[in-house]
Structure formats: C-alpha cells, structure tokens
C-alpha cells in the first residue's frame, strides 16, 4: 500500500548541531507522488514546512531542506544548524496529485525533535 | 483571515454516547479533511470532501463515524456510539484546490476526545 516511514523519536540534538530526520515512502498506487514535511510546534496546529512535487528537486524553508529522491524513495529532512526554536514534531507526508485522490495525504508517525540549548 | 476553527477543544464522553465535533474551514477553501491522530496509528484520514462532495469516507471508520458538510463553511463529524478506543485527537484541515495542482492543507487545533 501507500505509506510513509520516518525516524522514530524523540530525537535529541544540541543547539547548532546538524540534524537529519529520515523519511522513506511507498507509493504503490500513487502515480505522481508529492512529498511534504509538516511541523507542529508546541501549542500550535500542524502546518506545512516544505513540499516538493517533482522528483529530483529540493525544497527548503526556515533553514530546513529535503530532496525528493525517487530512486531511493526517500525525502529526508536536514538542517545544518538547529536552534532551540526548532523543537517540534515533524511529519513526513505523501500525496497524490491525480484525479479523485488529489489532496489526500498519507502521514508518517511523526518525529519529535528536542533541541537542547 | 481566521484559520480552521474546531469546537470543542476537549470532549469527554461515556462509552456508548453520541458526540459531534465541529469544524469551520478557512473561508473560501473548497476541500475539507477529517483526520484522527493517535500515538500508535499516527494521522489517519477519516473523511475527505471536495467542494462539499464526499470523496473518501475512511473505509474502516465507516460504521460509527459519519462526517457531513452542511455548507461550504461548516462540517461535523459524528461518532455514534463512542468506544474507549476512539480516544484521540481529531483534526480538521481545509485547502484551496485550484485545478490539478496540490493545495496546502491548513489544520485546525484539534479536538481531544476521551471516551471513558
């Protein structure tokens, strides 16, 4: 089926260190996978962090970046130097942009990131 | 513009009760989604409306879960009868879909349901 697997949390990183949260997907019934990272900061609702709809391209936002790799079916989230304000729960998601499935998202389980000052 | 509004924010129900959760999407948005979030299962899609038409009704959730879109600015999710395993956070999201391109989903704060 269609699914997303991501790094199991919590992930604890010291401020200014680098971060990678792994995400791999299975898109057996999705013809045109789109990939997303959503984030939920403490006390706030889930919000889009970045998206990539074309394989081989990179998305970036707030210092985070992720590259859509069709060969390895991966969409890892990376940041060179994290800040305490990056502490949040990050969700990788897979979407289909064709036909009646347009708009439907499959979410990973979420990865809690804790940044230590 | 106001974001997605959900009420109530917290709900406690006895097993067997009927509860109704409410959602107001972002004004002008034409797609609406209901998700359930638990620690074990993560985010699961319950229902998906496109311009008020039900596109997906969540398969396994059909028997006791019913989502309706009464008009373009209001949706309800009814759970009848509730069971303890329904305890979760219920999220509503909306998006403005233009043509065939993906539209960002905007999420509400969620309703935390506890079934005793």
């Amino acid at each position: 089926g269609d699914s997303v697997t991501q790094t199991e949390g919590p992930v604890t990183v010291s401020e200014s260190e680098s971060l990678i949260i792994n995400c791999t997907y299975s898109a057996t019934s999705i013809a045109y996978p789109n990939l997303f990272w959503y984030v939920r900061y403490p006390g706030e609702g889930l919000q889009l962090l970045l998206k990539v709809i074309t394989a081989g391209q990179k998305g970036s936002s707030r210092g985070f970046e992720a590259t859509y790799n069709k060969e390895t079916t991966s969409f890892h989230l990376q940041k060179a130097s994290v800040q305490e304000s990056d502490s949040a729960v990050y969700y990788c998601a897979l979407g289909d942009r064709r036909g009646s499935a347009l708009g439907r998202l499959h979410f990973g389980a979420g990865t809690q990131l804790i940044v230590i000052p | 513009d106001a974001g997605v509004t959900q009420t109530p924010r917290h709900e406690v129900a006895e097993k067997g009760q009927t509860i109704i959760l409410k959602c107001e999407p972002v004004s002008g948005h034409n797609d609406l989604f209901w998700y359930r979030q638990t620690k074990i299962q993560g985010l699961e899609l319950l229902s998906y409306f496109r311009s008020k038409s039900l596109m997906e009704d969540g398969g396994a959730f059909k028997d006791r879960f019913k989502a309706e879109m009464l008009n373009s600015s209001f949706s309800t999710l009814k759970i009848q009868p509730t069971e303890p395993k329904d305890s979760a956070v219920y999220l509503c999201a909306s998006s403005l879909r233009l043509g065939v391109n993906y539209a960002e989903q905007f999420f509400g704060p969620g309703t935390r349901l506890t079934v005793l």
Side-chain angles (χ1 to χ4, degrees):
Chain A
D2 305 314
S3 64
V4 174
T5 304
Q6 61 182 100
T7 300
E8 190 172 332
V11 170
T12 303
V13 180
S14 296
E15 201 165 29
S16 78
E17 287 190 347
S18 63
L19 167 74
I20 181 165
I21 298 177
N22 291 330
C23 171
T24 56
Y25 67 89
S26 171
T28 55
S29 68
I30 296 177
Y32 305 99
N34 292 182
L35 295 167
F36 312 89
W37 279 100
Y38 276 79
V39 60
R40 190 179 71 237
Y41 296 104
E44 298 184 19
L46 202 59
Q47 57 186 278
L48 182 66
L49 177 62
L50 58 87
K51 71 176 187 230
V52 179
I53 63 172
T54 305
Q57 294 197 347
K58 179 166 67 177
S60 60
S61 173
R62 307 178 204 178
F64 289 89
E65 58 183 36
T67 299
Y68 180 168
N69 189 320
K70 192 174 181 180
E71 286 68 40
T72 59
T73 62
S74 66
F75 191 56
H76 307 320
L77 183 68
Q78 301 183 71
K79 188 170 187 181
S81 175
V82 297
Q83 302 171 337
E84 192 178 357
S85 58
D86 294 326
S87 295
V89 181
Y90 294 81
Y91 295 86
C92 185
L94 166 71
D96 190 344
R97 61 183 169 95
R98 187 187 64 162
S100 63
L102 176 65
R104 192 207 195 287
L105 291 175
H106 302 266
F107 283 89
T111 301
Q112 183 180 8
L113 171 65
I114 300 170
V115 179
I116 301 171
Chain B
D1 279 342
V4 176
T5 304
Q6 289 187 249
T7 55
R9 294 293 305 275
H10 301 274
E11 177 80 59
V12 179
E14 298 281 344
K15 177 183 173 182
Q17 269 187 277
T18 296
I19 62 104
I20 297 176
L21 310 182
K22 305 178 182 72
C23 173
E24 294 178 32
V26 175
S27 179
H29 280 191
N30 51 12
D31 278 4
L32 186 139
F33 307 83
W34 282 99
Y35 292 91
R36 183 171 80 170
Q37 183 174 28
T38 61
K39 284 188 179 177
I40 295 174
Q41 300 292 338
L43 272 154
E44 302 170 282
L45 181 70
L46 299 175
S47 292
Y48 165 27
F49 291 89
R50 177 183 296 174
S51 300
K52 298 190 294 180
S53 296
L54 183 62
M55 303 300 294
E56 192 159 342
D57 61 2
F61 297 98
K62 273 186 190 179
D63 57 345
R64 297 182 298 107
F65 291 72
K66 184 177 175 62
E68 290 185 307
M69 194 127 192
L70 306 180
N71 56 54
S72 61
S73 58
F74 186 69
S75 176
T76 58
L77 175 67
K78 179 193 287 187
I79 309 176
Q80 177 183 36
T82 52
E83 298 181 5
K85 65 181 180 181
D86 299 332
S87 297
V89 175
Y90 290 82
L91 295 172
C92 178
S94 70
S95 65
L96 176 61
R97 181 179 38 78
L98 301 173
V100 297
N101 293 314
Y102 172 80
E104 176 184 350
Q105 292 185 24
F106 292 79
F107 284 80
T111 296
R112 181 174 294 279
L113 172 66
T114 302
V115 182
L116 305 175

